[in-house]
Each structure stands twice: as C-alpha cells, then as structure tokens.
Amino acid sequence: MNHIELVQHIASFLASEVKSYDIPDICSSYGLDYGEESEAFAGKSKYVERRLRGKDQLFLIDLAKRVAKDYNSVDLNRMLNTISPRGIFNITQITRKNIMKEILSLGYIEGDMNLIDFLKRTWDLDSMPSTDSRFFNATGDITQHMIANDDWSFQELFEDVLEIYNITDEKFIRFTEQIVHPRVRSEVDPQFIEKLNYHLVKDGYKMQVTSQISGYPLYTIIKTTKGVKGEFKNLIFAADGPKPEIVISDSINNEIAIVKNQEFCLVYDLPILEGLLWRELVTWWGDRQSEEEGINVERAMYKRLIRSLDKGPERNFFKFYFKHFRERMGNSLPALIPQVYLHYDPYVTKIVPNETRLVRQRMDFLLLLPNNVRIVIEIDGKQHYSSEDNKPNPKKYAEMMKADRDLRLLGYEVFRFGGFEFINENSVDKMVLDFFSKLFLRYEIN
C-alpha cells in the first residue's frame, strides 16, 4: 500500500465514523491542524485528507493504529497488518495461526454450548453485518451456514467471517480463554494448555489457572514479560504548587534532594517492595501529620491528592477510580498516584542551549503493582499536542510518542486517554470502571 492509499484509507474511515461537526475536534485530538466546521461539512473525507498531506509514513501508520484502537476497527487493523512486517499486535498473526491449529484440532470448538451462544461470548454477532443478503446480521448468517446447511468450515468461519487474525489482542485473548472456560467445557486436557502455552510464550504470554468456578479451574492469559528493572528509589508526587527543584545529593548512592518548593509536593520515603497499596499510602500520610486526634486520615489524603490535579478530566478519572474500587477492593486497592515526577532537568536548557530537553518530566498517574509492574496513565489535553497558541503541533505530538516508546522499552506499561473521551461524565464513569476492571484482571489484582 502506497502513501496516497494509506492517507485515503484513514480519511475514508474517519469520515464514515465521525459526524461533520465533530471532525475538526477529532482531527485536532490526533495532532492534526484544526479547520473550520464549514470545511468539514463540505466534505469530511477531503477535510481529513488535506490534514494528512505531507505527513510521513511512520506518522500515518502510528495515527492509523490509534484510530483503529479508538474505534475498534477490524478494517484498519487488516490494512495495517499488510504494511507492517511484524504486524501490529502483541500476539502476532503467526502465533494466532498456530493457536488456531490447536483449537481446530479439538473438533467441537463450542464444547458443551450452542455454537451461536459460544461465539457471542466474544463477538457481538447481532451487530455484525451478514455476508448473505437473506439475513440481517452475522447471527442469521452463521446459523444458516454452520448449523442448518453446514457448508462453511470452522476455518472459513474464523478466518473469513470473524477475521480472527485482525481482531485486537484483547479480543483474541478473550476468545482463547473461552475455549477452556468451565461453562464451555468442564474437562480440559492439561496437554492442550501446554500446547497453547508453547505458542503464547513466544509473544510474552501464558495461560494459567487464576481462580475456580464451582470447583473447576478458570484459565486466564497473562503477560509473562518482566516489569521495570532496577530497585525503586524515589517517589515524588502530587505537587500542588510550583515545581520542585531536584538535585543529586549523593551521586555514589544515587540519592536526590529537593532544594526548592519541597513544601508543595509529597515524597514517599518508605521501601516499596511488592507495589504500593492505598492503605500503605494512607498509613504513611497519617504517621506524618500533626492534626488533632480523630481526623479522618484517609479523607485528608484523598483531598491532598485531588488538589494536585487539574479540574476536569484528571479529577474525574481519580474520583471515579475511588468510587468504583475503594469498597470493592478494600485493603487490596492499589494506590493511584497522581503527578509523579519521572525525571527532571531544569538546567539543561540554560547551560546547553542546543540540547534537547527531556519531554516528559512527570506522569499524570502511576500504579505500582507486584513484580515491578509500573502502569503509567496519561490524560491527553491540548497541551499534549498543541503549541501555547492552541495550534496543533506535530513536532510536540511526535516527541510525546517517542517518550511513550522510551518508557515502554524500559518496561513501563503506558495507557493514554484522549481528552475527547471525557466530554460526557456518565461515559467517563463507565470507562474508568471498565478500564480498571480489565487491568486488575490482567494482572491478577483482587
């Protein structure tokens, strides 16, 4: 696929998914130039194409990946997989093909269930289009060709209709987990699990028992890649005033000191061994306060952290996290740490004018989980992709993407939310619940 075709593909997809009056904001959220609404009404696809002209291939591929993820587009995933040598998924098409061979060898993939009911555990068949004009959706289509007439093979079903090689990693993982779910089949051959793991481990995953349902094992696919290397040393966070000025106080022991504005930030100074829980953070805070006896330390800690966050998306994200998970998880709740300083270079620009300044000095949120797993969460506002005059700045956007890549190479997990996702508070509430539920399931946090 050449450069022009890639531009046309992205533009055509966005034009089909987004209303004319939303196109300018959507383009702006992806770091593209902002135009007039009237221009979008004159032609959505052309509006997007004009803003993609001159962008290099890497920018377009990265943009297509973000759009595909945001809109859960199998069509864009398919296109991307044709132009990316390794593909765009963590679980590659090669691994998926090998896993499907193992699954197809089972015979009755649906196990003890009806085929349609089994497939609906992963796909929304009622909303998927039919390939047969006689039926309204994929449910009718599959019923006709897999059950009534039996003229499709399972291979045709999964490869041509359900496009198993172009669905997201999350969806492929869910499908594979359903194959061995107790509701689907009560007896699972351990050798079958070994065969799946033989392929999964090559992409950094494995399937293992995480719990039980009525005495039957529940298998979950988890990542086996290790977290961030190195010992945790400094946690400076929640600044609610001027930025702290940080220096290395002892280069031999790699110790730092805050020489200015320390009163506006918090510094967690206890060892962090197996992640950091909310109750541990509250206890640490309470031990350092001198307020009168009887104060609600947890509430005071919560209010202090809220003060460090910008009003709007960041505060709502933090608020809904506690709303949904504080009581549910109790003492097992991981601390959602706001405004964490990652690195600091206040003198580089002054001393070495031509030296590039570190792009990201602090993270919006950080979760410290067991096994050195560190989760970075970023809430994108215009400042992430725009200049001070609110004009889109592709260079700034590219620097932000590079910073994300650098973090991932160090072992961090980075999850980025667009500011556009926070327009409706009710949808934010649901989004936060859904995101952390899946995240905690992935890392076996309960």
Side-chain angles (χ1 to χ4, degrees), residues 62-81:
D62 181 70
L63 174 62
K65 288 180 181 180
R66 293 185 67 196
V67 173
K69 183 176 181 180
D70 291 345
Y71 292 90
N72 193 26
S73 171
V74 172
D75 183 47
L76 281 181
N77 286 338
R78 186 191 313 116
M79 178 269 294
L80 286 165
N81 275 320

PDB file of all heavy atoms in Angstrom, residues 62-81:
ATOM      1  N   ASP A  62       1.323   5.272  12.685  1.00  0.00           N
ATOM      2  CA  ASP A  62       1.034   5.474  14.104  1.00  0.00           C
ATOM      3  C   ASP A  62      -0.379   6.018  14.295  1.00  0.00           C
ATOM      4  O   ASP A  62      -1.107   5.582  15.193  1.00  0.00           O
ATOM      5  CB  ASP A  62       2.055   6.433  14.715  1.00  0.00           C
ATOM      6  CG  ASP A  62       1.813   6.664  16.194  1.00  0.00           C
ATOM      7  OD1 ASP A  62       2.046   5.725  16.975  1.00  0.00           O
ATOM      8  OD2 ASP A  62       1.369   7.768  16.572  1.00  0.00           O
ATOM      9  N   LEU A  63      -0.778   6.960  13.443  1.00  0.00           N
ATOM     10  CA  LEU A  63      -2.127   7.518  13.521  1.00  0.00           C
ATOM     11  C   LEU A  63      -3.177   6.444  13.247  1.00  0.00           C
ATOM     12  O   LEU A  63      -4.189   6.339  13.957  1.00  0.00           O
ATOM     13  CB  LEU A  63      -2.269   8.664  12.516  1.00  0.00           C
ATOM     14  CG  LEU A  63      -3.684   9.268  12.382  1.00  0.00           C
ATOM     15  CD1 LEU A  63      -4.134   9.869  13.700  1.00  0.00           C
ATOM     16  CD2 LEU A  63      -3.713  10.316  11.278  1.00  0.00           C
ATOM     17  N   ALA A  64      -2.931   5.636  12.209  1.00  0.00           N
ATOM     18  CA  ALA A  64      -3.880   4.569  11.874  1.00  0.00           C
ATOM     19  C   ALA A  64      -4.041   3.586  13.030  1.00  0.00           C
ATOM     20  O   ALA A  64      -5.151   3.111  13.311  1.00  0.00           O
ATOM     21  CB  ALA A  64      -3.427   3.837  10.615  1.00  0.00           C
ATOM     22  N   LYS A  65      -2.943   3.285  13.729  1.00  0.00           N
ATOM     23  CA  LYS A  65      -3.011   2.386  14.890  1.00  0.00           C
ATOM     24  C   LYS A  65      -3.886   2.985  15.982  1.00  0.00           C
ATOM     25  O   LYS A  65      -4.699   2.290  16.603  1.00  0.00           O
ATOM     26  CB  LYS A  65      -1.610   2.121  15.425  1.00  0.00           C
ATOM     27  CG  LYS A  65      -0.751   1.224  14.549  1.00  0.00           C
ATOM     28  CD  LYS A  65       0.630   1.024  15.168  1.00  0.00           C
ATOM     29  CE  LYS A  65       1.510   0.144  14.305  1.00  0.00           C
ATOM     30  NZ  LYS A  65       2.857  -0.050  14.899  1.00  0.00           N
ATOM     31  N   ARG A  66      -3.713   4.291  16.249  1.00  0.00           N
ATOM     32  CA  ARG A  66      -4.503   4.944  17.303  1.00  0.00           C
ATOM     33  C   ARG A  66      -5.986   4.966  16.941  1.00  0.00           C
ATOM     34  O   ARG A  66      -6.845   4.696  17.777  1.00  0.00           O
ATOM     35  CB  ARG A  66      -4.000   6.367  17.529  1.00  0.00           C
ATOM     36  CG  ARG A  66      -2.597   6.462  18.108  1.00  0.00           C
ATOM     37  CD  ARG A  66      -2.230   7.894  18.403  1.00  0.00           C
ATOM     38  NE  ARG A  66      -3.041   8.438  19.486  1.00  0.00           N
ATOM     39  CZ  ARG A  66      -3.163   9.734  19.752  1.00  0.00           C
ATOM     40  NH1 ARG A  66      -2.546  10.616  19.005  1.00  0.00           N
ATOM     41  NH2 ARG A  66      -3.906  10.147  20.760  1.00  0.00           N
ATOM     42  N   VAL A  67      -6.268   5.287  15.686  1.00  0.00           N
ATOM     43  CA  VAL A  67      -7.659   5.332  15.236  1.00  0.00           C
ATOM     44  C   VAL A  67      -8.284   3.939  15.306  1.00  0.00           C
ATOM     45  O   VAL A  67      -9.423   3.773  15.760  1.00  0.00           O
ATOM     46  CB  VAL A  67      -7.748   5.898  13.804  1.00  0.00           C
ATOM     47  CG1 VAL A  67      -9.175   5.788  13.266  1.00  0.00           C
ATOM     48  CG2 VAL A  67      -7.298   7.361  13.779  1.00  0.00           C
ATOM     49  N   ALA A  68      -7.527   2.919  14.862  1.00  0.00           N
ATOM     50  CA  ALA A  68      -8.042   1.548  14.900  1.00  0.00           C
ATOM     51  C   ALA A  68      -8.372   1.127  16.318  1.00  0.00           C
ATOM     52  O   ALA A  68      -9.393   0.480  16.578  1.00  0.00           O
ATOM     53  CB  ALA A  68      -7.019   0.592  14.284  1.00  0.00           C
ATOM     54  N   LYS A  69      -7.512   1.501  17.269  1.00  0.00           N
ATOM     55  CA  LYS A  69      -7.752   1.153  18.667  1.00  0.00           C
ATOM     56  C   LYS A  69      -8.937   1.912  19.229  1.00  0.00           C
ATOM     57  O   LYS A  69      -9.790   1.346  19.915  1.00  0.00           O
ATOM     58  CB  LYS A  69      -6.504   1.443  19.493  1.00  0.00           C
ATOM     59  CG  LYS A  69      -6.630   1.040  20.953  1.00  0.00           C
ATOM     60  CD  LYS A  69      -5.336   1.265  21.708  1.00  0.00           C
ATOM     61  CE  LYS A  69      -5.463   0.828  23.160  1.00  0.00           C
ATOM     62  NZ  LYS A  69      -4.207   1.049  23.914  1.00  0.00           N
ATOM     63  N   ASP A  70      -9.001   3.213  18.937  1.00  0.00           N
ATOM     64  CA  ASP A  70     -10.085   4.042  19.470  1.00  0.00           C
ATOM     65  C   ASP A  70     -11.457   3.598  18.969  1.00  0.00           C
ATOM     66  O   ASP A  70     -12.443   3.677  19.690  1.00  0.00           O
ATOM     67  CB  ASP A  70      -9.871   5.511  19.105  1.00  0.00           C
ATOM     68  CG  ASP A  70      -8.687   6.123  19.837  1.00  0.00           C
ATOM     69  OD1 ASP A  70      -8.216   5.509  20.813  1.00  0.00           O
ATOM     70  OD2 ASP A  70      -8.226   7.210  19.431  1.00  0.00           O
ATOM     71  N   TYR A  71     -11.508   3.149  17.712  1.00  0.00           N
ATOM     72  CA  TYR A  71     -12.793   2.785  17.105  1.00  0.00           C
ATOM     73  C   TYR A  71     -12.960   1.276  16.933  1.00  0.00           C
ATOM     74  O   TYR A  71     -13.934   0.833  16.324  1.00  0.00           O
ATOM     75  CB  TYR A  71     -12.947   3.478  15.747  1.00  0.00           C
ATOM     76  CG  TYR A  71     -13.107   4.972  15.856  1.00  0.00           C
ATOM     77  CD1 TYR A  71     -12.001   5.809  15.846  1.00  0.00           C
ATOM     78  CD2 TYR A  71     -14.367   5.544  16.001  1.00  0.00           C
ATOM     79  CE1 TYR A  71     -12.135   7.186  15.962  1.00  0.00           C
ATOM     80  CE2 TYR A  71     -14.522   6.916  16.114  1.00  0.00           C
ATOM     81  CZ  TYR A  71     -13.400   7.737  16.104  1.00  0.00           C
ATOM     82  OH  TYR A  71     -13.553   9.099  16.225  1.00  0.00           O
ATOM     83  N   ASN A  72     -12.004   0.502  17.484  1.00  0.00           N
ATOM     84  CA  ASN A  72     -12.087  -0.965  17.420  1.00  0.00           C
ATOM     85  C   ASN A  72     -12.348  -1.425  15.988  1.00  0.00           C
ATOM     86  O   ASN A  72     -13.265  -2.197  15.712  1.00  0.00           O
ATOM     87  CB  ASN A  72     -13.200  -1.470  18.354  1.00  0.00           C
ATOM     88  CG  ASN A  72     -13.117  -2.971  18.568  1.00  0.00           C
ATOM     89  OD1 ASN A  72     -12.056  -3.572  18.452  1.00  0.00           O
ATOM     90  ND2 ASN A  72     -14.252  -3.591  18.862  1.00  0.00           N
ATOM     91  N   SER A  73     -11.524  -0.945  15.066  1.00  0.00           N
ATOM     92  CA  SER A  73     -11.741  -1.197  13.641  1.00  0.00           C
ATOM     93  C   SER A  73     -10.952  -2.394  13.138  1.00  0.00           C
ATOM     94  O   SER A  73      -9.723  -2.356  13.049  1.00  0.00           O
ATOM     95  CB  SER A  73     -11.349   0.047  12.828  1.00  0.00           C
ATOM     96  OG  SER A  73     -11.347  -0.245  11.450  1.00  0.00           O
ATOM     97  N   VAL A  74     -11.645  -3.447  12.766  1.00  0.00           N
ATOM     98  CA  VAL A  74     -11.009  -4.604  12.143  1.00  0.00           C
ATOM     99  C   VAL A  74     -10.491  -4.224  10.767  1.00  0.00           C
ATOM    100  O   VAL A  74      -9.445  -4.697  10.313  1.00  0.00           O
ATOM    101  CB  VAL A  74     -12.009  -5.779  12.048  1.00  0.00           C
ATOM    102  CG1 VAL A  74     -11.424  -6.922  11.224  1.00  0.00           C
ATOM    103  CG2 VAL A  74     -12.386  -6.275  13.436  1.00  0.00           C
ATOM    104  N   ASP A  75     -11.211  -3.335  10.083  1.00  0.00           N
ATOM    105  CA  ASP A  75     -10.830  -2.909   8.741  1.00  0.00           C
ATOM    106  C   ASP A  75      -9.455  -2.240   8.748  1.00  0.00           C
ATOM    107  O   ASP A  75      -8.579  -2.567   7.937  1.00  0.00           O
ATOM    108  CB  ASP A  75     -11.880  -1.938   8.193  1.00  0.00           C
ATOM    109  CG  ASP A  75     -11.572  -1.511   6.762  1.00  0.00           C
ATOM    110  OD1 ASP A  75     -11.276  -2.381   5.937  1.00  0.00           O
ATOM    111  OD2 ASP A  75     -11.626  -0.296   6.479  1.00  0.00           O
ATOM    112  N   LEU A  76      -9.237  -1.305   9.680  1.00  0.00           N
ATOM    113  CA  LEU A  76      -7.937  -0.648   9.767  1.00  0.00           C
ATOM    114  C   LEU A  76      -6.853  -1.615  10.229  1.00  0.00           C
ATOM    115  O   LEU A  76      -5.716  -1.555   9.754  1.00  0.00           O
ATOM    116  CB  LEU A  76      -8.012   0.547  10.724  1.00  0.00           C
ATOM    117  CG  LEU A  76      -8.639   1.838  10.175  1.00  0.00           C
ATOM    118  CD1 LEU A  76      -8.605   2.934  11.240  1.00  0.00           C
ATOM    119  CD2 LEU A  76      -7.899   2.316   8.935  1.00  0.00           C
ATOM    120  N   ASN A  77      -7.180  -2.497  11.149  1.00  0.00           N
ATOM    121  CA  ASN A  77      -6.206  -3.500  11.594  1.00  0.00           C
ATOM    122  C   ASN A  77      -5.752  -4.373  10.433  1.00  0.00           C
ATOM    123  O   ASN A  77      -4.569  -4.710  10.307  1.00  0.00           O
ATOM    124  CB  ASN A  77      -6.806  -4.373  12.689  1.00  0.00           C
ATOM    125  CG  ASN A  77      -6.897  -3.651  14.024  1.00  0.00           C
ATOM    126  OD1 ASN A  77      -6.183  -2.689  14.265  1.00  0.00           O
ATOM    127  ND2 ASN A  77      -7.773  -4.113  14.893  1.00  0.00           N
ATOM    128  N   ARG A  78      -6.700  -4.744   9.582  1.00  0.00           N
ATOM    129  CA  ARG A  78      -6.369  -5.570   8.424  1.00  0.00           C
ATOM    130  C   ARG A  78      -5.405  -4.834   7.500  1.00  0.00           C
ATOM    131  O   ARG A  78      -4.424  -5.391   7.004  1.00  0.00           O
ATOM    132  CB  ARG A  78      -7.646  -5.937   7.663  1.00  0.00           C
ATOM    133  CG  ARG A  78      -7.432  -6.912   6.526  1.00  0.00           C
ATOM    134  CD  ARG A  78      -8.653  -7.052   5.621  1.00  0.00           C
ATOM    135  NE  ARG A  78      -9.871  -7.218   6.379  1.00  0.00           N
ATOM    136  CZ  ARG A  78     -10.873  -6.331   6.370  1.00  0.00           C
ATOM    137  NH1 ARG A  78     -10.756  -5.209   5.692  1.00  0.00           N
ATOM    138  NH2 ARG A  78     -11.963  -6.557   7.066  1.00  0.00           N
ATOM    139  N   MET A  79      -5.698  -3.568   7.276  1.00  0.00           N
ATOM    140  CA  MET A  79      -4.842  -2.757   6.414  1.00  0.00           C
ATOM    141  C   MET A  79      -3.441  -2.615   6.999  1.00  0.00           C
ATOM    142  O   MET A  79      -2.438  -2.762   6.306  1.00  0.00           O
ATOM    143  CB  MET A  79      -5.484  -1.381   6.211  1.00  0.00           C
ATOM    144  CG  MET A  79      -4.682  -0.407   5.360  1.00  0.00           C
ATOM    145  SD  MET A  79      -3.551   0.627   6.342  1.00  0.00           S
ATOM    146  CE  MET A  79      -4.710   1.603   7.280  1.00  0.00           C
ATOM    147  N   LEU A  80      -3.368  -2.356   8.303  1.00  0.00           N
ATOM    148  CA  LEU A  80      -2.078  -2.180   8.958  1.00  0.00           C
ATOM    149  C   LEU A  80      -1.250  -3.456   8.933  1.00  0.00           C
ATOM    150  O   LEU A  80      -0.023  -3.411   8.787  1.00  0.00           O
ATOM    151  CB  LEU A  80      -2.284  -1.709  10.400  1.00  0.00           C
ATOM    152  CG  LEU A  80      -2.712  -0.256  10.566  1.00  0.00           C
ATOM    153  CD1 LEU A  80      -3.233  -0.007  11.974  1.00  0.00           C
ATOM    154  CD2 LEU A  80      -1.547   0.683  10.268  1.00  0.00           C
ATOM    155  N   ASN A  81      -1.900  -4.571   9.072  1.00  0.00           N
ATOM    156  CA  ASN A  81      -1.176  -5.840   9.068  1.00  0.00           C
ATOM    157  C   ASN A  81      -0.560  -6.161   7.712  1.00  0.00           C
ATOM    158  O   ASN A  81       0.351  -6.976   7.613  1.00  0.00           O
ATOM    159  CB  ASN A  81      -2.097  -6.983   9.502  1.00  0.00           C
ATOM    160  CG  ASN A  81      -2.167  -7.126  11.010  1.00  0.00           C
ATOM    161  OD1 ASN A  81      -1.159  -6.993  11.687  1.00  0.00           O
ATOM    162  ND2 ASN A  81      -3.351  -7.387  11.535  1.00  0.00           N
TER     163      ASN A  81
END
